[in-house]
Amino acid sequence: MMKVFPVIILTVLSFSACAGQKTHADNDVMEISFDGRNISLINDDGHCGLARSDDSLLRLGVKWPCWFSQNYQGKVLLKNYLSAQIFMVQHSEPAAPPHTSCTTDLQAIRYFKGSVELAPVRRVGTCDTSRWDQKVFVWQFDW
């Protein structure tokens, strides 16, 4: 019995930690204004897609469901750097128990010098996806 008790405690703690992890929620922002157009996130055959108000579709490298990176107040993180506007889309999945981490795929999108460009997908091992600093948004682009 003494050997089973620590296993039970660890299992309960693991499930509790997973319950507090934020992945995709129904109240996530799914549309923003960017490069003078409205952009919505849609399911593009299992991938995240950017549907733009000019009827163009841009397929991203992250899986569906996806959402815009947001701060703790639920506002989309939109960065301005060297005359570029940049936002990030992400997809996150909790790791299988007993692990309490997540695998999160990030893809930055920028509007720079009149065109929209995609950064490569970056995979990180975190569930807290609201603490991205500016470096995460800009480092994969050529400047």
Side-chain angles (χ1 to χ4, degrees), residues 8-49:
I8 293 171
I9 294 296
L10 286 174
T11 303
V12 169
L13 289 175
S14 295
F15 285 127
S16 297
C18 288
Q21 295 171 354
K22 182 182 187 281
T23 55
H24 179 62
D26 290 336
N27 62 351
D28 283 334
V29 177
M30 298 300 283
E31 183 174 301
I32 63 170
S33 180
F34 182 73
D35 83 12
R37 300 177 188 133
N38 289 332
I39 295 178
S40 301
L41 298 175
I42 64 165
N43 183 351
D44 183 22
D45 198 26
H47 283 82
C48 186

Tab-separated table of all heavy atoms in Angstrom, residues 8-49:
chain	number	residue	atom	x	y	z
A	8	ILE	N	-0.456	7.278	-6.700
A	8	ILE	CA	-1.794	7.887	-6.742
A	8	ILE	C	-1.681	9.398	-6.593
A	8	ILE	O	-2.313	10.156	-7.330
A	8	ILE	CB	-2.707	7.281	-5.656
A	8	ILE	CG1	-2.997	5.813	-5.982
A	8	ILE	CG2	-4.004	8.074	-5.536
A	8	ILE	CD1	-3.698	5.060	-4.876
A	9	ILE	N	-0.875	9.861	-5.654
A	9	ILE	CA	-0.699	11.301	-5.436
A	9	ILE	C	-0.126	11.959	-6.687
A	9	ILE	O	-0.615	13.000	-7.134
A	9	ILE	CB	0.222	11.576	-4.220
A	9	ILE	CG1	-0.450	11.098	-2.940
A	9	ILE	CG2	0.584	13.045	-4.121
A	9	ILE	CD1	-1.726	11.819	-2.588
A	10	LEU	N	0.893	11.371	-7.301
A	10	LEU	CA	1.488	11.933	-8.515
A	10	LEU	C	0.489	11.968	-9.662
A	10	LEU	O	0.442	12.923	-10.439
A	10	LEU	CB	2.727	11.145	-8.926
A	10	LEU	CG	3.961	11.383	-8.075
A	10	LEU	CD1	5.080	10.430	-8.497
A	10	LEU	CD2	4.427	12.815	-8.182
A	11	THR	N	-0.333	10.942	-9.779
A	11	THR	CA	-1.341	10.907	-10.836
A	11	THR	C	-2.362	12.023	-10.645
A	11	THR	O	-2.705	12.735	-11.594
A	11	THR	CB	-2.049	9.532	-10.857
A	11	THR	OG1	-1.064	8.523	-11.031
A	11	THR	CG2	-3.083	9.472	-11.968
A	12	VAL	N	-2.830	12.218	-9.427
A	12	VAL	CA	-3.799	13.289	-9.138
A	12	VAL	C	-3.172	14.652	-9.420
A	12	VAL	O	-3.796	15.515	-10.028
A	12	VAL	CB	-4.305	13.196	-7.678
A	12	VAL	CG1	-5.090	14.432	-7.289
A	12	VAL	CG2	-5.151	11.946	-7.492
A	13	LEU	N	-1.931	14.849	-9.010
A	13	LEU	CA	-1.252	16.119	-9.262
A	13	LEU	C	-1.066	16.361	-10.749
A	13	LEU	O	-1.219	17.478	-11.236
A	13	LEU	CB	0.093	16.163	-8.542
A	13	LEU	CG	0.030	16.279	-7.025
A	13	LEU	CD1	1.433	16.176	-6.428
A	13	LEU	CD2	-0.649	17.560	-6.589
A	14	SER	N	-0.750	15.320	-11.511
A	14	SER	CA	-0.580	15.459	-12.953
A	14	SER	C	-1.879	15.866	-13.619
A	14	SER	O	-1.909	16.755	-14.468
A	14	SER	CB	-0.091	14.151	-13.576
A	14	SER	OG	1.190	13.853	-13.109
A	15	PHE	N	-2.985	15.230	-13.243
A	15	PHE	CA	-4.272	15.588	-13.829
A	15	PHE	C	-4.669	17.004	-13.435
A	15	PHE	O	-5.235	17.746	-14.225
A	15	PHE	CB	-5.364	14.603	-13.431
A	15	PHE	CG	-5.276	13.294	-14.159
A	15	PHE	CD1	-5.261	12.102	-13.474
A	15	PHE	CD2	-5.182	13.257	-15.542
A	15	PHE	CE1	-5.170	10.894	-14.143
A	15	PHE	CE2	-5.089	12.052	-16.219
A	15	PHE	CZ	-5.078	10.869	-15.515
A	16	SER	N	-4.373	17.411	-12.205
A	16	SER	CA	-4.682	18.770	-11.769
A	16	SER	C	-3.884	19.788	-12.564
A	16	SER	O	-4.401	20.829	-12.961
A	16	SER	CB	-4.360	18.944	-10.277
A	16	SER	OG	-5.177	18.084	-9.516
A	17	ALA	N	-2.615	19.503	-12.805
A	17	ALA	CA	-1.776	20.420	-13.576
A	17	ALA	C	-2.288	20.533	-15.006
A	17	ALA	O	-2.334	21.620	-15.578
A	17	ALA	CB	-0.325	19.959	-13.565
A	18	CYS	N	-2.690	19.412	-15.601
A	18	CYS	CA	-3.203	19.439	-16.970
A	18	CYS	C	-4.509	20.196	-17.058
A	18	CYS	O	-4.785	20.860	-18.055
A	18	CYS	CB	-3.405	18.024	-17.508
A	18	CYS	SG	-1.849	17.182	-17.854
A	19	ALA	N	-5.327	20.117	-16.019
A	19	ALA	CA	-6.616	20.796	-16.057
A	19	ALA	C	-6.441	22.301	-16.114
A	19	ALA	O	-7.274	23.014	-16.664
A	19	ALA	CB	-7.437	20.412	-14.825
A	20	GLY	N	-5.347	22.829	-15.568
A	20	GLY	CA	-5.115	24.257	-15.576
A	20	GLY	C	-4.429	24.769	-16.829
A	20	GLY	O	-4.247	25.957	-16.999
A	21	GLN	N	-4.031	23.880	-17.727
A	21	GLN	CA	-3.303	24.292	-18.920
A	21	GLN	C	-4.258	24.857	-19.949
A	21	GLN	O	-5.333	24.327	-20.177
A	21	GLN	CB	-2.540	23.113	-19.511
A	21	GLN	CG	-1.463	22.601	-18.608
A	21	GLN	CD	-0.877	21.300	-19.116
A	21	GLN	OE1	-1.331	20.725	-20.083
A	21	GLN	NE2	0.144	20.834	-18.427
A	22	LYS	N	-3.827	25.939	-20.582
A	22	LYS	CA	-4.660	26.551	-21.611
A	22	LYS	C	-4.232	26.038	-22.973
A	22	LYS	O	-3.103	26.145	-23.355
A	22	LYS	CB	-4.515	28.074	-21.588
A	22	LYS	CG	-5.400	28.745	-22.607
A	22	LYS	CD	-5.195	30.225	-22.596
A	22	LYS	CE	-6.175	30.931	-23.484
A	22	LYS	NZ	-5.885	30.896	-24.877
A	23	THR	N	-5.159	25.441	-23.655
A	23	THR	CA	-4.960	25.161	-25.060
A	23	THR	C	-5.989	26.023	-25.772
A	23	THR	O	-6.203	27.140	-25.381
A	23	THR	CB	-5.091	23.654	-25.366
A	23	THR	OG1	-6.354	23.191	-24.903
A	23	THR	CG2	-3.976	22.860	-24.715
A	24	HIS	N	-6.646	25.524	-26.777
A	24	HIS	CA	-7.627	26.317	-27.503
A	24	HIS	C	-8.902	26.451	-26.691
A	24	HIS	O	-9.414	25.487	-26.158
A	24	HIS	CB	-7.923	25.671	-28.853
A	24	HIS	CG	-8.942	26.405	-29.650
A	24	HIS	ND1	-8.751	27.693	-30.083
A	24	HIS	CD2	-10.166	26.052	-30.058
A	24	HIS	CE1	-9.813	28.079	-30.746
A	24	HIS	NE2	-10.685	27.095	-30.746
A	25	ALA	N	-9.421	27.653	-26.592
A	25	ALA	CA	-10.672	27.915	-25.880
A	25	ALA	C	-11.662	28.577	-26.828
A	25	ALA	O	-11.277	29.231	-27.791
A	25	ALA	CB	-10.410	28.823	-24.674
A	26	ASP	N	-12.934	28.386	-26.532
A	26	ASP	CA	-13.977	28.939	-27.395
A	26	ASP	C	-13.949	30.465	-27.456
A	26	ASP	O	-14.421	31.051	-28.417
A	26	ASP	CB	-15.359	28.483	-26.922
A	26	ASP	CG	-15.576	27.001	-27.172
A	26	ASP	OD1	-14.908	26.448	-28.071
A	26	ASP	OD2	-16.406	26.401	-26.481
A	27	ASN	N	-13.396	31.116	-26.433
A	27	ASN	CA	-13.398	32.574	-26.420
A	27	ASN	C	-12.122	33.184	-26.998
A	27	ASN	O	-11.921	34.382	-26.921
A	27	ASN	CB	-13.630	33.097	-24.999
A	27	ASN	CG	-12.535	32.677	-24.038
A	27	ASN	OD1	-11.692	31.857	-24.368
A	27	ASN	ND2	-12.554	33.234	-22.845
A	28	ASP	N	-11.262	32.371	-27.595
A	28	ASP	CA	-10.063	32.910	-28.238
A	28	ASP	C	-10.457	33.766	-29.432
A	28	ASP	O	-11.402	33.447	-30.155
A	28	ASP	CB	-9.130	31.787	-28.705
A	28	ASP	CG	-8.341	31.171	-27.563
A	28	ASP	OD1	-8.119	31.862	-26.560
A	28	ASP	OD2	-7.953	30.006	-27.687
A	29	VAL	N	-9.698	34.830	-29.648
A	29	VAL	CA	-9.942	35.721	-30.774
A	29	VAL	C	-9.586	34.980	-32.059
A	29	VAL	O	-8.511	34.413	-32.183
A	29	VAL	CB	-9.089	36.998	-30.633
A	29	VAL	CG1	-9.279	37.908	-31.825
A	29	VAL	CG2	-9.437	37.722	-29.338
A	30	MET	N	-10.478	34.975	-33.011
A	30	MET	CA	-10.254	34.248	-34.262
A	30	MET	C	-10.233	35.185	-35.465
A	30	MET	O	-10.157	34.721	-36.591
A	30	MET	CB	-11.327	33.176	-34.447
A	30	MET	CG	-11.321	32.106	-33.362
A	30	MET	SD	-9.779	31.192	-33.232
A	30	MET	CE	-9.919	30.113	-34.617
A	31	GLU	N	-10.322	36.507	-35.238
A	31	GLU	CA	-10.269	37.460	-36.345
A	31	GLU	C	-9.580	38.736	-35.873
A	31	GLU	O	-9.817	39.197	-34.768
A	31	GLU	CB	-11.679	37.784	-36.839
A	31	GLU	CG	-11.674	38.729	-38.035
A	31	GLU	CD	-13.066	38.943	-38.611
A	31	GLU	OE1	-13.692	37.957	-39.013
A	31	GLU	OE2	-13.500	40.101	-38.629
A	32	ILE	N	-8.700	39.272	-36.729
A	32	ILE	CA	-8.033	40.539	-36.440
A	32	ILE	C	-7.987	41.372	-37.717
A	32	ILE	O	-8.231	40.865	-38.807
A	32	ILE	CB	-6.597	40.343	-35.900
A	32	ILE	CG1	-5.706	39.653	-36.946
A	32	ILE	CG2	-6.603	39.614	-34.580
A	32	ILE	CD1	-4.216	39.634	-36.585
A	33	SER	N	-7.619	42.624	-37.555
A	33	SER	CA	-7.351	43.490	-38.701
A	33	SER	C	-5.840	43.580	-38.848
A	33	SER	O	-5.127	43.875	-37.885
A	33	SER	CB	-7.953	44.873	-38.462
A	33	SER	OG	-7.698	45.698	-39.558
A	34	PHE	N	-5.358	43.274	-40.064
A	34	PHE	CA	-3.913	43.211	-40.308
A	34	PHE	C	-3.650	43.578	-41.758
A	34	PHE	O	-4.379	43.145	-42.640
A	34	PHE	CB	-3.414	41.791	-40.013
A	34	PHE	CG	-1.941	41.590	-40.174
A	34	PHE	CD1	-1.054	42.104	-39.251
A	34	PHE	CD2	-1.437	40.874	-41.244
A	34	PHE	CE1	0.310	41.905	-39.390
A	34	PHE	CE2	-0.078	40.661	-41.397
A	34	PHE	CZ	0.793	41.187	-40.459
A	35	ASP	N	-2.662	44.344	-42.024
A	35	ASP	CA	-2.270	44.846	-43.342
A	35	ASP	C	-3.460	45.453	-44.095
A	35	ASP	O	-3.574	45.343	-45.308
A	35	ASP	CB	-1.501	43.807	-44.175
A	35	ASP	CG	-2.331	42.778	-44.934
A	35	ASP	OD1	-3.557	42.921	-45.047
A	35	ASP	OD2	-1.747	41.821	-45.451
A	36	GLY	N	-4.350	46.112	-43.336
A	36	GLY	CA	-5.503	46.779	-43.932
A	36	GLY	C	-6.650	45.853	-44.282
A	36	GLY	O	-7.606	46.277	-44.921
A	37	ARG	N	-6.593	44.587	-43.881
A	37	ARG	CA	-7.650	43.607	-44.171
A	37	ARG	C	-8.053	42.894	-42.886
A	37	ARG	O	-7.284	42.825	-41.947
A	37	ARG	CB	-7.141	42.554	-45.154
A	37	ARG	CG	-6.691	43.104	-46.455
A	37	ARG	CD	-6.132	41.989	-47.316
A	37	ARG	NE	-5.538	42.585	-48.504
A	37	ARG	CZ	-4.361	42.283	-48.982
A	37	ARG	NH1	-3.627	41.376	-48.404
A	37	ARG	NH2	-3.893	42.866	-50.055
A	38	ASN	N	-9.252	42.339	-42.901
A	38	ASN	CA	-9.652	41.462	-41.814
A	38	ASN	C	-9.111	40.076	-42.113
A	38	ASN	O	-9.173	39.605	-43.248
A	38	ASN	CB	-11.170	41.405	-41.673
A	38	ASN	CG	-11.724	42.706	-41.140
A	38	ASN	OD1	-11.052	43.423	-40.416
A	38	ASN	ND2	-12.947	43.015	-41.512
A	39	ILE	N	-8.576	39.420	-41.100
A	39	ILE	CA	-8.002	38.086	-41.239
A	39	ILE	C	-8.678	37.170	-40.230
A	39	ILE	O	-8.757	37.506	-39.046
A	39	ILE	CB	-6.477	38.115	-40.991
A	39	ILE	CG1	-5.801	38.942	-42.064
A	39	ILE	CG2	-5.913	36.717	-40.939
A	39	ILE	CD1	-4.316	39.078	-41.885
A	40	SER	N	-9.146	36.025	-40.706
A	40	SER	CA	-9.770	35.023	-39.844
A	40	SER	C	-8.960	33.744	-39.904
A	40	SER	O	-8.395	33.407	-40.937
A	40	SER	CB	-11.190	34.711	-40.322
A	40	SER	OG	-11.981	35.853	-40.323
A	41	LEU	N	-8.950	33.015	-38.805
A	41	LEU	CA	-8.321	31.703	-38.768
A	41	LEU	C	-9.382	30.664	-39.090
A	41	LEU	O	-10.473	30.672	-38.518
A	41	LEU	CB	-7.721	31.437	-37.388
A	41	LEU	CG	-6.617	32.399	-36.969
A	41	LEU	CD1	-6.193	32.108	-35.531
A	41	LEU	CD2	-5.436	32.302	-37.909
A	42	ILE	N	-9.063	29.772	-40.029
A	42	ILE	CA	-10.007	28.736	-40.432
A	42	ILE	C	-9.302	27.392	-40.512
A	42	ILE	O	-8.076	27.327	-40.594
A	42	ILE	CB	-10.667	29.056	-41.791
A	42	ILE	CG1	-9.617	29.080	-42.913
A	42	ILE	CG2	-11.444	30.360	-41.738
A	42	ILE	CD1	-10.219	29.036	-44.299
A	43	ASN	N	-10.102	26.338	-40.525
A	43	ASN	CA	-9.600	24.984	-40.706
A	43	ASN	C	-9.420	24.750	-42.203
A	43	ASN	O	-10.381	24.723	-42.956
A	43	ASN	CB	-10.593	23.977	-40.118
A	43	ASN	CG	-10.094	22.551	-40.204
A	43	ASN	OD1	-9.084	22.251	-40.835
A	43	ASN	ND2	-10.814	21.651	-39.558
A	44	ASP	N	-8.179	24.588	-42.619
A	44	ASP	CA	-7.845	24.339	-44.023
A	44	ASP	C	-7.331	22.911	-44.142
A	44	ASP	O	-6.126	22.668	-44.149
A	44	ASP	CB	-6.809	25.358	-44.501
A	44	ASP	CG	-6.462	25.211	-45.976
A	44	ASP	OD1	-7.262	24.634	-46.734
A	44	ASP	OD2	-5.372	25.674	-46.367
A	45	ASP	N	-8.261	21.963	-44.168
A	45	ASP	CA	-7.936	20.543	-44.302
A	45	ASP	C	-6.956	20.072	-43.218
A	45	ASP	O	-5.949	19.426	-43.503
A	45	ASP	CB	-7.378	20.254	-45.695
A	45	ASP	CG	-7.423	18.778	-46.051
A	45	ASP	OD1	-8.283	18.052	-45.512
A	45	ASP	OD2	-6.574	18.346	-46.861
A	46	GLY	N	-7.252	20.426	-41.965
A	46	GLY	CA	-6.433	19.993	-40.840
A	46	GLY	C	-5.283	20.914	-40.494
A	46	GLY	O	-4.588	20.700	-39.512
A	47	HIS	N	-5.060	21.928	-41.313
A	47	HIS	CA	-4.048	22.936	-41.032
A	47	HIS	C	-4.739	24.259	-40.730
A	47	HIS	O	-5.887	24.473	-41.108
A	47	HIS	CB	-3.109	23.135	-42.228
A	47	HIS	CG	-2.100	22.062	-42.357
A	47	HIS	ND1	-2.362	20.849	-42.965
A	47	HIS	CD2	-0.815	22.003	-41.949
A	47	HIS	CE1	-1.294	20.093	-42.923
A	47	HIS	NE2	-0.330	20.771	-42.309
A	48	CYS	N	-4.013	25.130	-40.104
A	48	CYS	CA	-4.525	26.464	-39.849
A	48	CYS	C	-4.411	27.279	-41.143
A	48	CYS	O	-3.389	27.228	-41.824
A	48	CYS	CB	-3.703	27.115	-38.748
A	48	CYS	SG	-4.338	28.700	-38.218
A	49	GLY	N	-5.443	28.000	-41.465
A	49	GLY	CA	-5.427	28.851	-42.643
A	49	GLY	C	-5.798	30.273	-42.278
A	49	GLY	O	-6.595	30.503	-41.363
